[in-house]
Amino acid sequence: MFDFTKDPLKDLRAFALAHSEALQNASLLLGGQPALRRTQGLLDDITSVHELTRRVARELDALHQLLSLHNVHDPDRIEAGCFADIDPASPIVADLCLLSEALSDQLLCLRNDTSIQDFKLLQAA
């Protein structure tokens, strides 16, 4: 009669599982150990929560900012130094772009889900 099995984070969990290693590698490359630990915590949270929490939304936004190079212009941030060490001709650059776009797509899907519209923390991808 009623469908109580709707899981608004199903696609996000599938994405996190499929791209877990790539997300961790990208985080380490672009933000060092602090970013890696933060991403690992986010991946753990995604597998354990049943709905999008403010913390998970905030951490998703932080990961998106990291992958989209939001803070590489700030010399006081670790991202600037990590980004400077990457060879622009390296094939990893294309992989990082694809991973960032895939995460943007996931955030867009989450923002459009009517069951979690209250979370304005998911910034425009």
Side-chain angles (χ1 to χ4, degrees):
M1 182 173 214
F2 295 103
D3 181 16
F4 293 110
T5 60
K6 175 142 174 48
D7 181 2
L9 300 182
K10 178 182 172 192
D11 293 337
L12 180 62
R13 276 193 203 92
F15 172 81
L17 181 62
H19 297 89
S20 175
E21 186 175 351
L23 289 168
Q24 292 177 70
N25 289 338
S27 295
L28 181 61
L29 183 65
L30 295 172
Q33 285 293 330
L36 173 60
R37 282 191 299 275
R38 194 170 187 180
T39 298
Q40 289 171 333
L42 171 62
L43 293 171
D44 288 343
D45 288 345
I46 289 171
T47 61
S48 63
V49 297
H50 300 291
E51 62 184 21
L52 186 66
T53 62
R54 292 187 188 280
R55 175 181 165 172
V56 170
R58 182 181 63 244
E59 294 302 316
L60 281 169
D61 185 53
L63 179 58
H64 181 257
Q65 287 185 17
L66 178 68
L67 293 180
S68 60
L69 310 176
H70 188 264
N71 296 309
V72 297
H73 68 283
D74 185 349
D76 294 330
R77 304 226 8 179
I78 190 171
E79 293 96 327
C82 292
F83 180 69
D85 291 339
I86 299 173
D87 178 7
S90 171
I92 193 70
V93 173
D95 293 339
L96 291 170
C97 291
L98 291 172
L99 190 59
S100 178
E101 289 175 15
L103 180 61
S104 293
D105 291 344
Q106 287 298 312
L107 295 179
L108 181 62
C109 289
L110 283 175
R111 278 197 318 274
N112 291 335
D113 187 332
T114 57
S115 65
I116 55 173
Q117 283 183 350
D118 293 339
F119 290 94
K120 304 300 182 203
L121 292 173
L122 292 172
Q123 302 297 322

